[in-house]
Amino acid sequence: MNDILVQNTTAFFEKSFGSAPQKVVLSPGRINIIGEHIDYNDGYVLPAAIDKVICFAFEKSNTTKSKIIAIDLNEEFETDLTEEIKLSEVVWTNYIRGVIKQLQDNGFSFEGFNCVFSSNIPVGSGLSSSAALECGMIFGIKELFNLKIDKVDISLLGQKAEHWVGINCGIMDQFSSVHGLENKVIKLDCNTLDFEYHNADFKDYSLILFDSNVKHSLFTSEYNTRRIECELGLAIIKENFPEVKSFRDCTEEQLLSIQDKMNATVFRRVHFVVKEINRVIKACEALDNGNIKLLGQLLFETHYGLSQEYEVSCEELDMLVDTAKSDDAIIGSRLMGGGFGGCTINLVKKGHENEVKSKFSNLYLNTFGIELKFYDVKISNGTTLL
């Protein structure tokens, strides 16, 4: 699949600029296996790069100007590196402008370049196409002009570029896009950026994302509310257990012993967080031991917590996971991402993929009148030079 993408991207480059590209870069999207809504609650996430990528082709322009063509959008823009970088009304260009601005602001010296890019990451599916765009662009400029930028700094520069665009994202998306390894997940501490790899051999199971094709507008306001509720809950925990510095220090037993000191909503939120941090640790052990059935059970548990305790699910996602629970071909399913729409991530027995897709597609259409999309994903390498 990516071979065709590379061929088409390089051919388009040659047609546009009359020469073969000097550098070709692949930058992947990402999934998160488990560890949802705990990156800002001092927990761990368990992301991985996937085999859906953006392909970039680069050459030096030998001028101060850079021309960038988005093949899929049939749009292009040009920017002069000697002029001030400003936000544009054309949103996709801002991610690239942001990258150039961050590199310049951090003292990196480079000249103009020509670039075309094309993607097979489904846009708006929660697979972090924006992080792939930022990190692939930084990586390509680094390679083209021999800049000394390590992987962590590529991730941080990509995050800062997205902040400049106006999206206050965490570090997980950029970090996993850059640091991904084939058949490995990354246990990442989003505060310290300490990380370790764990095996991701799913053996007799396929990873399939079910895209609900819905996005409910609650996300931003509810996200901010959840953060406040968790901060309130943590403050109460610390009052009663001074030795607890963060949620990762708190046991479920401690939390249950002070349940009556919190209102019911705050308790539900922090109960989810404490249990989810523990589930990430259990998921790493399950993967290292090849116990994929246990991993699947943890996914179901996470979805229950996200739906009933953290309350960031929706009718469509709950229906998909409830149906998965009663299907013998699926051993684990949960909503992936912020919630209120987007995808579920599913572990499906190999050989049953087509029948599962057919069953869910028909049921979902009949229930909601919405088409369900499916993405087969494999865990792959991070941003790389071809």
Side-chain angles (χ1 to χ4, degrees), residues 37-323:
H37 282 282
I38 58 168
D39 53 339
Y40 55 86
N41 281 314
D42 203 32
Y44 309 97
V45 289
L46 202 64
I50 56 172
D51 58 345
K52 304 254 185 288
V53 302
I54 302 178
C55 178
F56 301 81
F58 290 91
E59 72 172 3
K60 295 179 181 178
S61 67
N62 299 314
T63 69
T64 61
K65 293 182 178 178
S66 294
K67 184 175 182 178
I68 296 99
I69 304 174
I71 298 174
D72 308 328
L73 299 174
N74 194 28
E75 293 182 14
E76 63 183 63
F77 81 102
E78 189 170 273
T79 184
D80 192 321
L81 300 185
T82 63
E83 297 175 359
E84 183 185 356
I85 304 291
K86 295 180 180 177
L87 286 167
S88 163
E89 292 181 358
V90 184
V91 175
W92 72 267
T93 70
N94 289 331
Y95 294 93
I96 295 163
R97 297 175 200 272
V99 160
I100 293 170
K101 178 173 173 55
Q102 291 306 319
L103 287 168
Q104 289 179 336
D105 288 355
N106 283 274
F108 293 104
S109 179
F110 56 98
E111 297 167 358
F113 58 91
N114 296 320
C115 173
V116 307
F117 67 91
S118 184
S119 174
N120 57 28
I121 303 172
V123 176
S125 58
L127 302 183
S128 298
S129 55
S130 59
L133 181 61
E134 294 146 6
C135 295
M137 187 62 60
I138 295 168
F139 192 92
I141 295 169
K142 171 185 89 81
E143 291 293 326
L144 200 59
F145 296 100
N146 295 313
L147 305 180
K148 297 288 184 281
I149 315 176
D150 64 25
K151 285 185 175 182
V152 170
D153 285 334
I154 291 174
S155 309
L156 291 168
L157 288 166
Q159 181 193 29
K160 287 179 182 175
E162 191 142 343
H163 289 177
W164 181 77
V165 172
I167 300 166
N168 192 26
C169 63
I171 192 63
M172 177 179 76
D173 296 349
Q174 291 81 5
F175 198 96
S176 45
S177 186
V178 174
H179 288 80
L181 282 181
E182 188 174 3
N183 296 326
K184 297 284 184 183
V185 295
I186 308 164
K187 182 187 174 192
L188 171 65
D189 181 327
C190 292
N191 289 344
T192 65
L193 301 189
D194 290 335
F195 70 100
E196 59 190 34
Y197 291 105
H198 291 268
N199 293 326
D201 178 4
F202 296 107
K203 298 186 176 180
D204 301 325
Y205 302 93
S206 297
L207 267 180
I208 305 178
L209 307 182
F210 297 0
D211 187 345
S212 69
N213 254 331
V214 297
K215 284 183 174 56
H216 295 288
S217 58
L218 290 164
F219 177 66
T220 302
S221 60
E222 292 295 324
Y223 173 84
N224 293 333
T225 302
R226 295 300 176 281
R227 293 195 73 148
I228 293 166
E229 289 165 342
C230 289
E231 287 166 8
L232 179 60
L234 183 59
I236 295 169
I237 293 168
K238 286 179 175 179
E239 281 175 18
N240 290 273
F241 299 100
E243 70 275 16
V244 171
K245 305 300 180 192
S246 72
F247 281 118
R248 71 176 69 174
D249 304 322
C250 181
T251 66
E252 187 180 6
E253 289 72 24
Q254 286 175 317
L255 183 58
L256 290 171
S257 73
I258 56 169
Q259 182 174 353
D260 60 344
K261 299 182 188 298
M262 301 181 188
N263 74 46
T265 299
V266 168
F267 173 77
R268 286 198 304 273
R269 305 300 188 247
V270 297
H271 190 234
F272 166 77
V273 170
V274 169
K275 293 190 78 173
E276 184 72 352
I277 289 171
N278 196 39
R279 276 191 289 266
V280 174
I281 295 166
K282 287 181 178 177
C284 290
E285 293 170 357
L287 284 166
D288 288 343
N289 295 327
N291 190 347
I292 308 306
K293 286 190 175 179
L294 174 56
L295 177 66
Q297 182 58 41
L298 292 169
L299 296 188
F300 281 132
E301 289 176 16
T302 287
H303 184 82
Y304 176 85
L306 288 167
S307 176
Q308 302 302 311
E309 295 192 310
Y310 220 64
E311 295 182 273
V312 292
S313 189
C314 60
E315 184 183 7
E316 296 89 349
L317 294 172
D318 285 345
M319 177 267 198
L320 290 172
V321 176
D322 287 343
T323 307

Side-chain angles (χ1 to χ4, degrees), residues 19 32 38 81 221 234 256 325 330 336 344 370 378:
S19 58
N32 187 28
I38 58 168
L81 300 185
S221 60
L234 183 59
L256 290 171
K325 261 187 181 171
I330 303 177
M336 187 183 77
T344 62
I370 302 170
K378 288 186 169 58

